[in-house]
Amino acid sequence: MSNAALRALDTIWTNNSFNQEEELQTGIPLWHCGHIPSHDHLDDGKALWTTRSAERSDDYRGNAVYLRHLAQHPPTKLTLRPVRNLRAANFGSASLLDFTVEHCRSNHSTMKHALRDWMIEHGFDAVIGLNREPTEVVVARPHSVLEVAFAEPLNPNVPINH
């Protein structure tokens, strides 16, 4: 990722939370809905978007179920837990939309790689508080720092209740 993109993330972090850090404690629950069926499929080469809110744990369920025909693995809701305390940068609920447009050619995948590069460059395990959502947690190396406590297959015939 370009130095300009990494510096832009520095600016977003500083302007929105004044470089606040937080420690995510070992064992706290995090949730992810997608197409990762087990711990073996967590990839340290890709950041993983999760939530630390039980109330928001099904927010991406519909998306996972809807895209099931395009994915290699079935839709699954994971309950994850950090295996050690995680050092997290708090982004103060900042949006990365403008960053994605300006530095990533509006490509969501490129933004995800840039954010992961930024975390690693600064020695963070995670980023919290992105996209106007204080409960969002992005983990830089999910295979190394998370365990799967529970994997729930998502049935496409079960309605989503919000």
Side-chain angles (χ1 to χ4, degrees):
M1 185 49 46
S2 75
N3 284 337
L6 296 175
R7 298 302 67 87
L9 288 168
D10 283 340
T11 300
I12 294 167
W13 181 42
T14 300
N15 289 348
N16 286 280
S17 75
F18 308 103
N19 299 347
Q20 287 184 20
E21 294 184 29
E22 201 171 302
E23 190 171 76
L24 298 173
Q25 299 294 311
T26 302
I28 66 157
L30 300 171
W31 293 272
H32 172 82
C33 287
H35 299 101
I36 301 171
S38 70
H39 183 266
D40 290 341
H41 294 91
L42 291 172
D43 184 352
D44 274 353
K46 295 179 183 177
L48 182 69
W49 261 248
T50 69
T51 182
R52 57 182 169 173
S53 167
E55 293 79 27
R56 306 233 26 180
S57 67
D58 284 319
D59 280 6
Y60 290 96
R61 179 188 189 278
N63 194 45
V65 169
Y66 179 74
L67 296 174
R68 70 188 177 277
H69 300 297
L70 302 175
Q72 182 179 1
H73 302 290
T76 305
K77 178 180 177 180
L78 297 178
T79 303
L80 304 150
R81 299 191 192 284
V83 297
R84 62 172 173 78
N85 292 347
L86 303 182
R87 181 177 176 235
N90 186 334
F91 268 62
S93 298
S95 171
L96 293 185
L97 181 60
D98 290 342
F99 170 81
T100 304
V101 170
E102 294 171 19
H103 294 279
C104 304
R105 298 183 186 154
S106 298
N107 185 298
H108 191 259
S109 182
T110 302
M111 178 274 295
K112 289 167 57 173
H113 289 291
L115 184 62
R116 182 178 176 279
D117 289 350
W118 184 89
M119 285 187 269
I120 291 168
E121 178 179 296
H122 291 286
F124 288 111
D125 300 302
V127 163
I128 59 174
L130 282 175
N131 300 321
R132 299 182 182 95
E133 179 48 54
T135 65
E136 188 167 85
V137 178
V138 183
V139 180
R141 293 183 174 109
H143 187 267
S144 293
V145 301
L146 299 175
E147 65 182 0
V148 174
F150 186 71
E152 173 189 352
L154 297 176
N155 184 337
N157 299 317
V158 174
I160 301 164
N161 297 323
H162 284 286

